[in-house]
Amino acid sequence: MPAPKKPGRRSLLVTSATLLSLSATAPAALAAPAPSTSPTATPPAQMSTLGGARLGQAGTQVNLAPGVPVLPKDLTARSWIVSDAESGEVLAAHNAHWRLPPASTLKMLFADTVLPRFSQGTRYKVTPDDLKGVGAGSSVVGVKEGGTYSVHDLWLGVFLRSGNDAVHVLSSMNGGVQQTVKDMQDHAEELQALDTYVVSPDGYDAPGQLSSAYDLSLFARSGLQKKDFRDYCSTVSAKFGAAEIRNTNRLLSGDSDVPVYRGIAGVKNGNTSHAGATFTGVAERGGKVLLVTVMNPEKDEHNEVYKETAKLLDWGFQAAGKVNPVGELVPPKSASQATRQQDAGVSPGQGAQPSSGAAGGAGAKPAASATARSGPTGMGTALAIAGGLLVLLGGGVFLVNRRWPLPDLMRRRARP
């Protein structure tokens, strides 16, 4: 079989080192309550205050002051959040913890959980059972029963075409759909994404399946620690079998009414009849890296979710360094534990138990994780540094070293 065509990709314009802030853990009292797993028509009076008390309040939260640009006035999304991907500061938010159907943006959690478990070169022959349960009307990349696919191609199908068929095949490789759902739920809890309840690994509408703009931003921020995740989510087009597939993220690939956003580098879009349009995007401009998540714009206009995301990104780049944050994106539990251990004088990794969700995903076998990171695909161990802290994503545990220098892990490539 000929080697796959090298996909075109737009690199994230910042080293992976700066994408995870190890800020202090929010107190347990701020953890999400246990609300119903059904979405409400209006924001609940009480939402999670994880990341800050104001993030649990309904409506728009922003600290306007002299010199801070006003927010766009024509935003219609039920929920959105603008955050600094490096520091974790939330610059502004609207119903950040409102639990809503996530659609295919939930695939960010799926990828962050399962990606490290299989090397890209692994090949798999699809059986009829692998494609059972793919929902009617699902977005698919065209996986065929009896076909043999590389893990690399399956992930291209997940990220570029949001292929539920590719998700189900990878789930079968991971022990089945139910096992994958459990792994995803465990990993969400490790990431402190407590608004999220997983029912299907692909984000297809299912009773009780919910997440929030806050949690989706946590998934994106965690996934972007991994080079392969960054590579896939920034790929514009690639070969899948005999076909050419193109990324459905319109800020990345463009459309008739949406230009490619300057500095965009991913992450994931979604759209179902129940969830509406959802999107999380990451972009860099002027040395700042921002994450924006938008859920379900009410304005019924083509590509509205991308238009509102672009407006929020524009605002965020203008406001960065001028606006006081209204909250923060919290780090994973394991990162917080490592920070506390170091503050207590414990050497990095000493006495720490591997977390089930830090790098390899919940329940990942160490051997599988090691293969994914050191096999012939050239995937090195991902490093992440923020605030002078080294975070080593390997073996399922975060290691912290305040004295580690900031390495240049990626060749920067500017987007005109």
Side-chain angles (χ1 to χ4, degrees):
M1 186 173 185
K5 179 180 176 182
K6 184 178 180 180
R9 62 170 60 95
R10 190 162 296 126
S11 296
L12 180 63
L13 307 180
V14 65
T15 66
S16 63
T18 58
L19 286 173
L20 182 62
S21 168
L22 296 184
S23 52
T25 304
L30 300 184
S36 165
T37 55
S38 298
T40 54
T42 57
Q46 290 186 337
M47 292 181 284
S48 168
T49 54
L50 187 67
R54 290 188 64 178
L55 299 182
Q57 298 176 19
T60 302
Q61 307 300 320
V62 63
N63 288 318
L64 292 178
V68 177
V70 297
L71 286 163
K73 295 182 179 179
D74 51 351
L75 300 173
T76 67
R78 302 178 85 185
S79 174
W80 54 259
I81 187 170
V82 182
S83 58
D84 185 312
E86 297 176 280
S87 68
E89 293 179 344
V90 176
L91 307 185
H94 181 77
N95 303 325
H97 280 289
W98 191 0
R99 305 178 81 218
L100 297 167
S104 286
T105 45
L106 193 65
K107 289 184 173 78
M108 293 187 294
L109 174 61
F110 170 75
D112 194 38
T113 304
V114 178
L115 252 174
R117 302 184 178 191
F118 308 103
S119 64
Q120 290 189 350
T122 300
R123 298 184 65 79
Y124 181 81
K125 185 174 182 179
V126 178
T127 71
D129 285 345
D130 296 335
L131 298 176
K132 285 183 178 178
V134 176
S138 287
S139 54
V140 295
V141 68
V143 174
K144 304 297 184 184
E145 295 178 7
T148 299
Y149 300 87
S150 69
V151 164
H152 172 72
D153 286 348
L154 291 171
W155 283 117
L156 287 172
V158 171
F159 277 92
L160 273 66
R161 297 300 300 174
S162 205
N164 289 3
D165 48 356
V167 169
H168 277 253
V169 172
L170 287 163
S171 295
S172 292
M173 295 176 66
N174 188 58
V177 168
Q178 291 308 310
Q179 180 62 48
T180 301
V181 166
K182 180 183 182 302
D183 292 348
M184 290 169 66
Q185 190 68 58
D186 290 344
H187 189 43
E189 292 172 8
E190 151 65 16
L191 296 177
Q192 303 201 66
L194 305 180
D195 297 326
T196 297
Y197 184 74
V198 184
V199 178
S200 65
D202 49 23
Y204 189 83
D205 286 339
Q209 181 153 270
L210 301 171
S211 190
S212 67
Y214 185 91
D215 283 10
L216 294 176
S217 296
L218 292 182
F219 301 151
R221 196 165 181 238
S222 178
L224 289 166
Q225 307 305 308
K226 301 172 177 63
K227 182 184 182 300
D228 44 0
F229 187 106
R230 294 194 305 273
D231 287 346
Y232 287 127
C233 80
S234 63
T235 297
V236 180
S237 62
K239 277 284 192 181
F240 187 89
E244 184 86 12
I245 57 174
R246 192 166 180 83
N247 203 311
T248 54
N249 171 357
R250 299 309 182 193
L251 292 189
L252 188 72
S253 60
D255 204 356
S256 59
D257 57 342
V258 176
V260 173
Y261 190 84
R262 183 163 63 92
I264 194 69
V267 173
K268 189 70 188 74
N269 56 323
N271 197 322
T272 67
S273 57
H274 190 46
T278 60
F279 180 65
T280 297
V282 64
E284 181 184 5
R285 189 180 296 177
K288 282 289 183 182
V289 185
L290 298 184
L291 273 172
V292 169
T293 295
V294 173
M295 300 187 77
N296 197 355
E298 294 181 1
K299 188 175 182 180
D300 186 18
E301 186 171 316
H302 187 242
N303 285 326
E304 181 63 20
V305 72
Y306 303 108
K307 295 173 183 176
E308 297 196 14
T309 298
K311 291 173 184 176
L312 286 169
L313 281 169
D314 285 344
W315 176 86
F317 286 122
Q318 295 170 18
K322 301 175 184 177
V323 65
N324 289 325
V326 295
E328 67 169 352
L329 299 179
V330 296
K333 291 179 180 178
S334 55
S336 305
Q337 179 185 16
T339 303
R340 289 194 301 272
Q341 286 180 333
Q342 188 173 55
D343 289 342
V346 179
S347 298
Q350 179 182 345
Q353 295 299 318
S355 165
S356 61
K365 297 180 180 179
S369 179
T371 300
R373 298 188 181 283
S374 59
T377 60
M379 287 297 171
T381 302
L383 295 177
I385 298 177
L389 302 181
L390 168 69
V391 180
L392 175 59
L393 300 179
V397 66
F398 288 77
L399 302 180
V400 183
N401 183 346
R402 285 190 172 91
R403 295 174 297 281
W404 194 273
L406 179 66
D408 185 8
L409 296 177
M410 296 181 62
R411 183 180 298 275
R412 297 189 179 195
R413 183 151 57 91
R415 170 69 185 171

